[in-house]
Amino acid sequence: MEKYHVCQICGHIEFDSAPVHCNSCFAPRERFKEITDAIMPAEKEGREKHVPQIIVTGECGLIPNACRDVHVKIGSVPHPMQSDHWIQWIDVYINKEFSARYQLKPDHLQASVGLHIKNSVTGTLTIIQHCNKHGSWMAEAQL
Ligand SMILES: [Fe+2]
């Protein structure tokens, strides 16, 4: 079973080791805890609404020639975005290195984000999303 390093303040997950400061909330390394079941298994009940769906496109309409668009939505069946049940954040990693956190409120947004990834970037894109009721779920795609 894979071990993850989880920030006890904001829930941010790191793979190889706990950073000096949390990449999301800047809490010090001592606030990280090693947890093996931090990510829900992809075959777990509820996966249809929770496993991130990643669509890597070949191009970008915003920054042509330098970028390709990646679309991420949570669930093959859209996850609810209601005040009692929603996707709180979507964390983005390139080759297991943290790149961005998208913090969501349920009022106006779908459970989705659009990424503009530099053409020069290759390797594995990892998405971890966190549902306030059902925990953290992960998916990967190749860039
Ligand atoms: Fe959920």
Side-chain angles (χ1 to χ4, degrees), residues 50 79 85 131 134:
H50 291 97
H79 189 278
H85 184 199
C131 165
H134 302 110

Side-chain angles (χ1 to χ4, degrees), residues 39-51 79 85 129 131 133-137:
I39 306 279
M40 298 295 163
E43 66 279 5
K44 191 180 160 70
E45 195 185 332
R47 61 188 173 276
E48 304 80 13
K49 285 189 178 169
H50 291 97
V51 173
H79 189 278
H85 184 199
Q129 69 87 352
C131 165
K133 276 192 176 173
H134 302 110
S136 294
W137 301 68

Side-chain angles (χ1 to χ4, degrees), residues 65-130:
N65 305 320
C67 172
R68 72 218 115 137
D69 288 343
V70 176
H71 304 297
V72 177
K73 66 174 180 176
I74 305 310
S76 54
V77 175
H79 189 278
M81 287 297 272
Q82 297 159 355
S83 56
D84 61 341
H85 184 199
W86 82 101
I87 302 304
Q88 293 182 289
W89 65 81
I90 297 172
D91 279 352
V92 178
Y93 306 78
I94 305 285
N95 296 318
K96 295 286 188 334
E97 187 187 324
F98 175 73
S99 194
R101 165 171 287 203
Y102 293 82
Q103 191 110 29
L104 308 178
K105 284 187 72 188
D107 313 334
H108 307 127
L109 300 174
Q110 298 287 352
S112 63
V113 290
L115 310 175
H116 295 277
I117 297 181
K118 292 177 183 177
N119 271 344
S120 56
V121 173
T122 57
T124 304
L125 168 70
T126 302
I127 301 291
I128 296 178
Q129 69 87 352
H130 186 81

